[in-house]
Amino acid sequence: MPRARISDVAAAAGVSVTTVSLVMNDVESRISEDTRNRVREAARAVGYAPNSVARGLRTQQTRTVGLISDQIATTPFAGRMLAGAQDAARESGHLVFLVDTGGDDDIERNAISALTAQQVDAMIYACMWHRVVDAPAGLPPTTVFLDCRPAGGGFRSVVPDDRAGGYTATRELIDAGHRRIAYLDTDDAPIASRLRHEGYLEALSEAGITADPTLHVTGATTAQGGRSAADLLLDLPDDRRPTGVFCFNDRMAVGVYTAAHHRGLEIPRDLSVIGYDDQQLVAAEQDPPLTTIALPHYDMGRWAMEVALGVRAEGDEDATHLMECPVVRRDSVGPPPAQVAKPNRRRASHTERLP
Amino acid sequence: MPRARISDVAAAAGVSVTTVSLVMNDVESRISEDTRNRVREAARAVGYAPNSVARGLRTQQTRTVGLISDQIATTPFAGRMLAGAQDAARESGHLVFLVDTGGDDDIERNAISALTAQQVDAMIYACMWHRVVDAPAGLPPTTVFLDCRPAGGGFRSVVPDDRAGGYTATRELIDAGHRRIAYLDTDDAPIASRLRHEGYLEALSEAGITADPTLHVTGATTAQGGRSAADLLLDLPDDRRPTGVFCFNDRMAVGVYTAAHHRGLEIPRDLSVIGYDDQQLVAAEQDPPLTTIALPHYDMGRWAMEVALGVRAEGDEDATHLMECPVVRRDSVGPPPAQVAKPNRRRASHTERLP
DNA sequence: TTGAAAGCGCTAACAA
DNA sequence: TTGTTAGCGCTTTCAA
């Protein structure tokens, strides 16, 4: 059975299609309450459901949005960002096309064409990590960049305020009384790591603490990477060993936990740790639960969608919106151990420095 | 500047719109190579991009699919499932509308209407955990259920073979030499937990092992839940304490690790552990990396999309497809400790049973 | 207060 | 080998 059309409703109600259209779309004007009811009744009777495709062709508005992302499927961050974007889209009656390119340029090109062909009302280009990207060709100028900035500018974008986040994290440690604070950094995330490092240095200098280069170590953004980098830190002589560690992300912080445990160091009694990301199923599930800086994924997703859809007016066509990264306090940060640090239990294999 | 239409191309190339349409869609037949090139040239010149909406209205095929899910945003499982579905959709030239209902019935109803109005060619109804659901009204009968089964049947569906998965996990422990094998179960996931339990019992009985009811404990599906349940198990007298634990999921297995560590038990030397889910950022990152049963999310997502799109012919309109859950061997399963178990280090607070 | 009719951009049956 | 034209289902201008 073919779907009922507007003309079927018109015939059933004994009115014109114009009238039906007006009623179905709740257009004010004319049309008596009587006919309105008659039309609605008829629509129900014939099982009428509107056809958005025909409507879209006529109005040149499809009420759809395209969301292109590089890695949505394989990262645990995707969810919140998507949720924010989805919620905003739904609230203004839009449906979202999601395309994951997996970083493949061909797929990306095709996606842009396909989405353009589908006449989407807006487009969002999302990355799963704060990055600077080359804007692909063919994107409409109204495209909003989510969690990334286009290299040449020219588009609106929203990214986390990683500099402020780095500052916040470091401040958290300073406020707890720490002075020897390490930054467990990474080379795998250029933009974010640099910004967080800047924030770290700023907080230190503001507190009158001279940054100690030996407390700035790097590793891969995994638990393993964090573990190795933490070993470097914990092998330092007692008077130079950090009492607090700010980690580039939560996964690396997990590595710090491991390294500490293997030395019999207890968190936060002997070592305070703060992460970044507030990654679900990671941060909160550690023992003790990890204090961290939250990446505002939901809010960024929502912001991007609202701006893309014009719900939120953003004057500047070429501005980057910075979104705050709040601290999430749990139990991995405490005061530093008593001034006279207890001896660091070295492993036998380590060479002691001779006097 | 308005977008170029097919008639603009026709005018520019000095041919009819039919010719342009035929060329753009690579329809075999007629049309000389000469005109083909002329048309393509003209299309490029005027910057023509097809309009899928108009095409969809005319052909009654939109090359779009609707994917409704309950919790895509908040679970770490979503990714792989979506990726599989996406890949299959892309391969057959379809775009996917993703709607996350967050479990809200109103949102779900609206999503079904909106997707229907958009004339999607196919629909997938996905859950983030293996469940039995009441099929919402309005779903086209060709809808494919992903990771869930409709209570009354009537639709095609694909779910993990949890019974076989439970069997596989238990066998893994049996094959390593274990006889006292616990099942750390949950009450939070009715279908899956029951099926896995059946598989567990089957493997036990097949190996001639009598199931010990005290080795079947339950907890919440979190690390904390796993920890508490594991405590029950590890407090058992040495000769009744399990040497291997099959956990309902990886998160609970993490709790088992914690419980074991707190007792000075080493994994897998003193206790073998096997999880379920192969959850990214959890299973592989444990110390030691967790052996587990993988949920075939990618494959299920792909299967669902292929069936929905008719790429994969599935005769039965009302059948549930069971997908294998393979074991992922890492380092948490080993042989049981020597027959004469070393004394279980009890905590002082525990009451000893009197002889 | 209502209706007739044009037209959104495309495909495909039919004609030439 | 190519062109003419009806029509997909809807909105909206203009006329009644």
Side-chain angles (χ1 to χ4, degrees):
Chain A
M1 189 186 66
R3 298 210 2 216
R5 294 149 302 163
I6 204 173
S7 58
D8 296 325
V9 180
V15 296
S16 73
V17 293
T18 308
T19 303
V20 177
S21 173
L22 259 21
V23 173
M24 297 312 281
N25 292 308
D26 282 318
V27 176
E28 292 298 317
S29 77
R30 54 202 218 179
I31 315 290
S32 66
E33 196 52 41
D34 191 46
T35 21
R36 296 192 102 83
N37 290 330
R38 205 138 43 82
V39 169
R40 282 196 259 263
E41 187 54 47
R44 199 167 316 119
V46 303
Y48 174 73
N51 182 327
S52 299
V53 176
R55 182 176 214 274
L57 177 59
R58 176 63 234 236
T59 61
Q60 303 289 53
Q61 294 228 74
T62 55
R63 306 198 79 81
T64 62
V65 196
L67 174 24
I68 298 181
S69 91
D70 55 352
Q71 296 277 14
I72 234 146
T74 54
T75 84
F77 301 131
R80 305 300 304 152
M81 218 144 92
L82 254 185
Q86 289 258 10
D87 285 353
R90 180 167 34 72
E91 283 164 20
S92 67
H94 288 257
L95 235 28
V96 5
F97 280 119
L98 178 69
V99 181
D100 195 294
T101 66
D104 183 308
D105 287 345
D106 277 337
I107 295 180
E108 183 172 278
R109 253 190 303 279
N110 287 333
I112 293 174
S113 307
L115 255 12
T116 304
Q118 285 288 349
Q119 314 283 105
V120 292
D121 294 341
M123 215 126 124
I124 290 178
Y125 186 87
C127 290
M128 286 307 133
W129 300 280
H130 181 180
R131 302 211 314 260
V132 167
V133 296
D134 289 319
L139 281 182
T142 55
T143 301
V144 177
F145 282 62
L146 173 53
D147 209 4
C148 54
R149 284 188 306 118
F155 295 89
R156 285 163 302 181
S157 59
V158 55
V159 296
D161 191 346
D162 279 312
R163 190 173 202 287
Y167 175 88
T168 306
T170 312
R171 259 317 280 265
E172 192 70 11
L173 258 8
I174 293 171
D175 289 348
H178 297 267
R179 306 284 298 176
R180 287 204 306 282
I181 299 171
Y183 177 35
L184 207 154
D185 201 356
T186 187
D187 292 325
D188 302 349
I191 308 294
S193 73
R194 203 199 68 228
L195 291 169
R196 293 176 198 175
H197 187 221
E198 287 176 11
Y200 161 81
L201 292 177
E202 185 187 340
L204 247 35
S205 118
E206 187 187 278
I209 301 172
T210 309
D212 177 352
T214 62
L215 297 187
H216 182 201
V217 294
T218 63
T221 57
T222 59
Q224 192 42 251
R227 165 87 198 262
S228 311
D231 279 335
L232 261 33
L233 257 15
L234 300 181
D235 280 342
L236 251 20
D238 293 340
D239 60 337
R240 301 189 48 210
R241 184 152 56 92
T243 60
V245 183
F246 162 35
C247 304
F248 176 78
N249 72 8
D250 293 346
R251 295 175 70 191
M252 297 177 83
V254 171
V256 175
Y257 273 51
T258 310
H261 289 332
H262 275 253
R263 284 175 165 69
L265 260 27
E266 201 174 293
I267 296 168
R269 194 194 58 193
D270 306 313
L271 185 70
S272 285
V273 180
I274 187 163
Y276 211 109
D277 288 358
D278 192 26
Q279 194 169 307
Q280 56 174 335
L281 300 190
V282 176
E285 301 226 347
Q286 295 310 307
D287 179 25
L290 180 68
T291 290
T292 189
I293 303 295
L295 242 14
H297 283 122
Y298 181 91
D299 294 328
M300 293 197 299
R302 173 176 277 284
W303 190 95
M305 186 58 79
E306 287 178 353
V307 169
L309 256 22
V311 175
R312 176 192 290 262
E314 283 296 309
D316 204 334
E317 282 282 300
D318 182 14
T320 295
H321 185 80
L322 258 30
M323 205 148 265
E324 190 194 356
C325 301
V327 59
V328 178
R329 295 198 176 86
R330 287 195 271 251
D331 309 316
S332 61
V333 171
Q339 281 314 80
V340 183
K342 67 164 205 175
N344 187 359
R345 293 199 219 158
R346 302 292 189 88
R347 269 85 131 269
S349 63
H350 287 170
T351 31
E352 297 287 342
R353 214 178 294 163
L354 295 176
Chain B
M1 187 186 68
R3 296 202 10 208
R5 294 150 302 163
I6 204 172
S7 58
D8 296 324
V9 179
V15 297
S16 73
V17 293
T18 308
T19 303
V20 177
S21 174
L22 257 21
V23 173
M24 297 312 282
N25 292 305
D26 282 319
V27 176
E28 294 298 318
S29 76
R30 53 202 220 179
I31 314 291
S32 67
E33 195 52 41
D34 190 45
T35 22
R36 296 192 102 85
N37 290 330
R38 205 140 42 83
V39 168
R40 281 197 260 261
E41 187 54 47
R44 200 168 313 121
V46 302
Y48 174 73
N51 183 325
S52 299
V53 176
R55 184 178 213 274
L57 178 59
R58 176 61 235 235
T59 62
Q60 303 288 51
Q61 292 228 79
T62 55
R63 307 198 77 81
T64 62
V65 196
L67 173 24
I68 298 179
S69 91
D70 55 352
Q71 296 277 17
I72 233 145
T74 53
T75 83
F77 301 130
R80 305 300 305 153
M81 219 144 90
L82 254 186
Q86 289 256 13
D87 284 353
R90 181 168 34 73
E91 283 163 22
S92 67
H94 288 256
L95 237 26
V96 5
F97 279 119
L98 178 69
V99 181
D100 195 295
T101 66
D104 183 308
D105 286 346
D106 277 339
I107 294 180
E108 183 171 280
R109 250 190 303 280
N110 287 333
I112 293 173
S113 305
L115 254 12
T116 305
Q118 285 288 350
Q119 315 281 108
V120 293
D121 293 341
M123 214 123 123
I124 290 178
Y125 185 87
C127 290
M128 286 306 134
W129 298 280
H130 182 180
R131 303 212 312 259
V132 167
V133 297
D134 288 320
L139 280 182
T142 54
T143 300
V144 176
F145 282 62
L146 173 52
D147 210 4
C148 54
R149 283 187 307 120
F155 295 89
R156 285 162 304 179
S157 59
V158 55
V159 296
D161 191 344
D162 278 312
R163 190 173 203 286
Y167 174 88
T168 305
T170 311
R171 258 317 278 263
E172 193 69 11
L173 258 8
I174 293 172
D175 289 348
H178 297 267
R179 305 283 297 176
R180 287 203 305 282
I181 300 172
Y183 177 36
L184 208 154
D185 200 356
T186 187
D187 291 326
D188 302 349
I191 308 295
S193 73
R194 202 200 67 227
L195 291 169
R196 293 175 197 174
H197 187 220
E198 286 176 11
Y200 161 81
L201 293 177
E202 184 187 341
L204 248 35
S205 116
E206 186 188 277
I209 301 172
T210 308
D212 176 352
T214 62
L215 297 186
H216 182 200
V217 295
T218 63
T221 57
T222 60
Q224 193 42 251
R227 164 88 197 262
S228 312
D231 279 336
L232 261 32
L233 255 16
L234 300 181
D235 281 343
L236 251 21
D238 295 339
D239 61 337
R240 299 187 49 210
R241 183 152 57 91
T243 60
V245 183
F246 161 36
C247 304
F248 177 78
N249 72 8
D250 293 346
R251 296 175 70 192
M252 297 178 83
V254 171
V256 175
Y257 274 51
T258 310
H261 289 332
H262 277 253
R263 284 174 165 71
L265 259 25
E266 200 174 293
I267 294 169
R269 194 195 57 194
D270 306 314
L271 185 69
S272 285
V273 180
I274 187 164
Y276 212 111
D277 287 357
D278 192 26
Q279 194 169 308
Q280 56 173 335
L281 301 189
V282 176
E285 301 226 347
Q286 295 309 307
D287 180 23
L290 180 68
T291 291
T292 188
I293 302 294
L295 241 15
H297 282 121
Y298 181 90
D299 293 330
M300 291 197 299
R302 175 177 276 283
W303 190 96
M305 186 58 81
E306 287 178 352
V307 169
L309 256 23
V311 174
R312 178 192 289 263
E314 283 297 309
D316 204 333
E317 283 283 301
D318 181 16
T320 295
H321 184 80
L322 257 30
M323 207 148 267
E324 190 195 355
C325 301
V327 59
V328 178
R329 294 197 177 87
R330 287 196 269 251
D331 309 317
S332 62
V333 171
Q339 281 315 81
V340 183
K342 66 166 203 170
N344 187 2
R345 293 199 220 156
R346 300 293 188 87
R347 269 88 132 267
S349 62
H350 287 170
T351 28
E352 297 287 342
R353 213 177 294 162
L354 296 175

